[in-house]
Amino acid sequence: MKRVFVSYSWAQGDWVWDRLYPCLVAGGAEVLIDRRRFVAGLALFDQIDKTQDSAEIHVLVLSQDYLASAACRHEMERAIALDPDFQHGLVIPVLRIACDLPDEIRHPNPLYVNLTNDHDSEQWDLLLRGCEADLGANAPDWLEARERVRGYLRRSQSVNLVVTGEPKRREFLERIRE
């Protein structure tokens, strides 16, 4: 299981929490992310650095809001410093909202993930492979099935699940409840 640090702007927070985070967790990654790790009353940048230092892979969710944020720039610069030439797969840029890529990413020219259309299964697969996560199905279909189950549960309807392979029922239900 890879430890994946997710760096994102709060402007993309809903998307990160509703789409990205569940896919990474369901794929088997241990996701290191602010809402799960950070504690009120402690220095923000110290918490960022400690959490980021324990990650094996850094996912940067890029947008104009991201690039304008001092905290996001701090996370991005620290991540890229670990692999400035993008030779070891430690940093995965994800273009969420179209924007100009910063020089630190544009000049090494790594293969980045383009999720400006997050229904693109090939881009999701590219991201999940980079994080060594595996959903066993394409992410947009998995997310759609997850949303249907959540809808049934919101309406207090019963849900029958047929699971193949090695199911993680308890974890699945906990994620749905979130």
Side-chain angles (χ1 to χ4, degrees), residues 38-44 47:
F38 295 5
V39 177
L42 297 179
L44 176 62
Q47 292 185 77

Side-chain angles (χ1 to χ4, degrees), residues 59-117:
V59 172
L60 312 177
V61 181
L62 303 172
S63 67
Q64 218 34 53
D65 293 312
Y66 182 92
L67 297 172
S69 164
C72 293
R73 294 291 299 203
H74 175 80
E75 293 169 354
M76 180 183 75
E77 289 165 6
R78 291 185 86 248
I80 292 174
L82 297 171
D83 190 10
D85 296 324
F86 289 83
Q87 296 296 311
H88 304 289
L90 303 178
V91 181
I92 302 173
V94 175
L95 188 62
R96 175 64 193 129
I97 305 291
C99 64
D100 292 331
L101 296 176
D103 287 342
E104 303 94 314
I105 294 173
R106 191 174 55 243
H107 289 303
N109 197 25
L111 179 60
Y112 64 89
V113 176
N114 186 339
L115 284 175
T116 54
N117 169 9

